[in-house]
Amino acid sequence: MSHSQPGHKAPTTVTISLEGQSTGDAGMQEFRTQVPDWTPDLEEEKIVDPWALPQLKASGPSWKELNWKDRLRHVVIGVLKGFALLGLLYFFICSLDILSSAFQLLSSKVTGDIFKDNIVLSNPVAGLVIGILVTVLVQSSSTSSSIVVSMVASNLLTVKASVPIIMGVNVGTSITSTLVSMAQSGARDEFRRAFGGSAVHGIFNWMTVLVLLPLEVAARALERLSGLVVGAFTLSPGQRAPDILKVLTQPLTHLIVQLDSKVISESATGNVTNSIIKRWCVSRDEMNVETIVVKNMSECNMQSCFPCGDQLCLEKNITSTVYVERCHHIFVGSSLTDLAIGFILLAGSLLVLCTGLVLIVRLLNSVLHGQIAQVIRKVINAEFPFPFGWLSGYLAIVVGAVMTFVVQSSSVFTAAIVPLMGVGVISMQRAYPLLLGSNIGTTTTALLAALASPADKLLSAVQVSLIHVFFNMAGILLWYLVPALRLPIPLAKKFGNVTARYRWVAGVYLLFSFFLIPLAVFGLSLAGNVVLAAVGGPLLGLLALVILINVMQRRCPTWLPRCLRSWAFLPIWLHSLQPWDHVITSCCKCCPQAHDPPADTTIKEAYCYENPAVLDSHSL
């Protein structure tokens, strides 16, 4: 006896006929399925786009309905929230600076060991991985680039070998935005948008590497182009551009710790024996006179030499550096090792960073609502009128480059964009060109820093910085110039949808993309190019085959054998994350869990039976 729930119609039985394949009773085969009568109503319901910017409506009475006391109270609260937001941003930027110093303390010796092996650096794949690892370790693409520049200028590294390292530096710098997005994992839709925004930056860098690295190995395109540009101009050493962000943060960060930048650059040669913590901050050059014995008469004349005993002597001026004041920071007189200080700073900076991010997100949700949110959203996501709408994205690239040049840190700029994407102020389509502009802005800063190099190191430093500029410009030409080729956007959205449902995937992506896979490739490169090719070649071939089959399953499933039209023939744990989600969430109760509402299986059956691809892949 059948029972139907109140409010729903009983399902009706529908007979669907299909032409049978060449069987013994060639003719018509029939199967019966139950389709609810209310299924057509689904087409009338609007399907909510999870990537659409949310409606940020104001709560409470409007401004016109308030009296003068309430208006004054709202203005005072708004001003206080603005100052609180600026203060949190300041502490957030300072925590990023301290985090970078902590990683440099932890990895200064490791960085020198990594760069010492020239045989490994001659492998372009190993060079790419080294660039990623070093940038992740020091948490600063500028520091990684300066190490590469100093090595090239000192003839410890060739320009050819530096190109893959610069590509790796570009990939490694996207880890900061990924870490920042994790602070919004508490809300599903916010985490979807924030993590998708951080993923689009990394996907763009990886896709650019996959195209330009083989081209560089085959034709040395970036090396030759940068060499032609350097040779076409007469360069002279200039002055370093003012670091506006450092001027604002140094009063606080220098009270905590100071590092010697000269010793950090020398870590690439592996000659670091002392601590990289700066002890003396004020020095003075003094001229001292030293008397030396003349061994060759051509070294002196009768006016400068004088007799001293049985020999002739010469007075020579020697410049010496006299330190007159010690630094004023917490660890200046500490007896702790660099490793211990690094762990202390790492724990403290991560605590401040995570706390600041959570408070910033909550404050943004409190401030950005109603008319304020609508105005900010319209300004950031504004489009030029037809037919000049295509200029909006390129203007966003320019804005991203200028803003990054002003703050002189791509990490700070991208870390500010990601929370705004999470709360729904910036769309993915607008954040993408802003992040691409940030890539250009950080290379401009490195280029100005290279122009301040000494004359004997100027050409090499400028060439390496130009390689970084051309790499990012080529990526924009590949993945932004043609709208149909802006593939990082849909890929990041799919990735964001997966991480919104299974939030632990974000941690797995972070661990594998920036640590485990680069370390595995680096370890294989130490064994030699033959071992690296023997292990990596089949894995890359299998990955390419899986991607090809996935594309064909979506676009042209009839071209595939019947068994490959879906992954149902594999064990469920090989083509679904649901079993892994059950295992991980049961083992780690503290992980944020996300449960979607149960789907109606009868609706899925109806859509499956209406899908020709599904019908072709099953024996009916």
Side-chain angles (χ1 to χ4, degrees):
M1 187 170 72
S2 62
H3 298 277
S4 60
Q5 297 180 356
H8 294 281
K9 298 180 181 178
T12 59
T13 302
V14 180
T15 301
I16 304 177
S17 301
L18 297 174
E19 291 189 3
Q21 306 296 329
S22 55
T23 59
D25 299 329
M28 304 297 290
Q29 292 182 349
E30 298 182 353
F31 66 92
R32 301 167 67 85
T33 183
Q34 288 186 339
V35 182
D37 289 342
W38 43 265
T39 301
D41 296 338
L42 294 173
E43 299 178 358
E44 299 177 1
E45 297 180 1
K46 291 185 177 180
I47 299 177
V48 179
D49 182 10
W51 292 94
L53 297 180
Q55 295 294 330
L56 305 176
K57 297 181 180 180
S59 58
S62 63
W63 180 263
K64 295 181 180 180
E65 298 174 353
L66 299 175
N67 55 33
W68 68 271
K69 292 183 179 179
D70 292 333
R71 290 183 179 181
L72 179 62
R73 181 172 59 87
H74 275 71
V75 170
V76 172
I77 293 176
V79 172
L80 292 177
K81 286 183 178 180
F83 281 112
L85 184 59
L86 291 176
L88 289 172
L89 286 174
Y90 179 77
F91 282 107
F92 169 72
I93 295 172
C94 292
S95 65
L96 283 178
D97 195 355
I98 298 299
L99 182 65
S100 175
S101 300
F103 276 105
Q104 291 177 38
L105 285 167
L106 294 173
S107 61
S108 60
K109 303 290 193 303
V110 178
T111 303
D113 294 336
I114 290 176
F115 277 112
K116 279 195 299 186
D117 197 341
N118 291 325
I119 299 177
V120 175
L121 293 176
S122 62
N123 186 334
V125 178
L128 172 70
V129 172
I130 287 173
I132 298 174
L133 289 175
V134 171
T135 306
V136 170
L137 288 174
V138 301
Q139 279 292 293
S140 173
S141 58
S142 300
T143 302
S144 304
S145 301
S146 65
I147 292 175
V148 176
V149 168
S150 63
M151 290 190 65
V152 173
S154 303
N155 295 324
L156 297 174
L157 186 68
T158 62
V159 175
K160 178 182 177 182
S162 69
V163 177
I165 302 177
I166 290 296
M167 294 182 181
V169 168
N170 215 70
V171 173
T173 190
S174 58
I175 188 177
T176 304
S177 58
T178 306
L179 288 172
V180 169
S181 67
M182 304 292 284
Q184 293 175 274
S185 59
R188 182 188 303 277
D189 289 334
E190 287 188 12
F191 186 51
R192 185 198 315 273
R193 292 188 292 265
F195 192 83
S198 64
V200 75
H201 192 200
I203 291 172
F204 166 81
N205 291 329
W206 274 113
M207 292 179 65
T208 307
V209 167
L210 291 177
V211 174
L212 293 184
L213 183 60
L215 181 63
E216 183 65 26
V217 174
R220 301 169 62 180
L222 294 177
E223 180 187 355
R224 293 180 177 178
L225 179 60
S226 60
L228 290 175
V229 173
V230 169
F233 295 94
T234 303
L235 301 175
S236 58
Q239 295 182 352
R240 187 180 179 87
D243 197 338
I244 301 175
L245 192 64
K246 292 291 184 182
V247 172
L248 297 176
T249 58
Q250 278 180 357
L252 178 60
T253 57
H254 276 192
L255 292 177
I256 300 174
V257 69
Q258 296 183 42
L259 303 183
D260 195 333
S261 58
K262 182 179 180 181
V263 178
I264 295 175
S265 299
E266 291 175 353
S267 64
T269 62
N271 295 325
V272 178
T273 57
N274 299 324
S275 173
I276 65 173
I277 294 179
K278 201 171 184 180
R279 310 287 182 181
W280 299 93
C281 291
V282 179
S283 60
R284 182 177 68 248
D285 293 337
E286 292 185 352
M287 298 296 296
N288 297 326
V289 179
E290 181 181 2
T291 302
I292 60 174
V293 178
V294 177
K295 297 181 180 179
N296 191 347
M297 292 298 298
S298 61
E299 297 179 9
C300 65
N301 51 49
M302 296 305 297
Q303 295 179 352
S304 61
C305 295
F306 58 90
C308 55
D310 298 336
Q311 299 176 338
L312 290 178
C313 296
L314 176 68
E315 290 186 349
K316 184 177 181 181
N317 293 329
I318 298 177
T319 302
S320 61
T321 302
V322 179
Y323 296 99
V324 296
E325 184 179 343
R326 290 175 67 88
C327 299
H328 299 284
H329 57 85
I330 298 175
F331 300 99
V332 65
S334 175
S335 59
L336 297 174
T337 62
D338 286 4
L339 193 64
I341 296 175
F343 278 115
I344 294 173
L345 293 177
L346 179 64
S349 60
L350 285 177
L351 179 62
V352 176
L353 182 67
C354 296
T355 305
L357 280 175
V358 173
L359 294 177
I360 286 173
V361 171
R362 291 187 178 182
L363 194 58
L364 285 175
N365 285 323
S366 174
V367 173
L368 299 177
H369 63 274
Q371 295 182 352
I372 298 177
Q374 295 298 331
V375 171
I376 296 177
R377 181 185 295 178
K378 287 181 181 179
V379 171
I380 296 178
N381 301 290
E383 299 285 345
F384 285 104
F386 181 83
F388 303 105
W390 57 274
L391 288 174
S392 303
Y394 294 98
L395 178 61
I397 293 177
V398 175
V399 170
V402 172
M403 292 299 296
T404 305
F405 174 72
V406 170
V407 300
Q408 295 199 350
S409 175
S410 60
S411 298
V412 172
F413 182 78
T414 55
I417 291 293
V418 167
L420 292 176
M421 292 185 65
V423 298
V425 175
I426 302 179
S427 64
M428 173 72 79
Q429 285 71 17
R430 183 47 43 88
Y432 181 56
L434 286 172
L435 294 174
L436 301 189
S438 175
N439 282 358
I440 298 296
T442 190
T443 59
T444 306
T445 305
L447 180 59
L448 291 177
L451 290 174
S453 301
D456 57 338
K457 302 179 181 180
L458 181 63
L459 294 180
S460 300
V462 172
Q463 186 174 2
V464 173
S465 61
L466 283 177
I467 289 172
H468 202 180
V469 175
F470 293 150
F471 172 80
N472 286 288
M473 292 182 65
I476 293 176
L477 294 177
L478 284 172
W479 310 119
Y480 191 81
L481 185 63
V482 180
L485 293 180
R486 295 172 186 176
L487 302 179
I489 294 179
L491 291 176
K493 286 185 176 181
K494 292 181 180 180
F495 204 11
N497 291 334
V498 173
T499 53
R501 180 172 176 82
Y502 308 106
R503 306 187 191 188
W504 51 268
V505 174
V508 173
Y509 162 77
L510 194 67
L511 186 64
F512 274 81
S513 297
F514 297 102
F515 292 99
L516 295 184
I517 293 179
L519 285 174
V521 175
F522 181 69
L524 291 173
S525 63
L526 294 177
N529 296 340
V530 177
V531 176
L532 180 63
V535 177
L539 292 178
L540 291 177
L542 179 62
L543 178 62
L545 180 62
V546 170
I547 294 174
L548 177 62
I549 293 176
N550 273 286
V551 172
M552 295 183 67
Q553 285 176 349
R554 293 172 181 245
R555 301 294 177 87
C556 46
T558 56
W559 291 10
L560 292 171
R562 188 174 298 272
C563 63
L564 291 180
R565 293 177 184 176
S566 70
W567 298 109
F569 68 94
L570 294 174
I572 188 172
W573 56 272
L574 282 179
H575 63 88
S576 174
L577 293 176
Q578 190 63 40
W580 297 99
D581 181 65
H582 178 71
V583 172
I584 293 176
T585 53
S586 61
C587 294
C588 182
K589 298 297 183 182
C590 63
C591 295
Q593 300 183 21
H595 299 286
D596 289 339
D600 195 327
T601 56
T602 58
I603 299 176
K604 290 185 177 180
E605 283 187 35
Y607 279 113
C608 286
Y609 287 125
E610 293 171 2
N611 191 341
V614 177
L615 293 175
D616 289 340
S617 62
H618 292 78
S619 299
L620 302 177

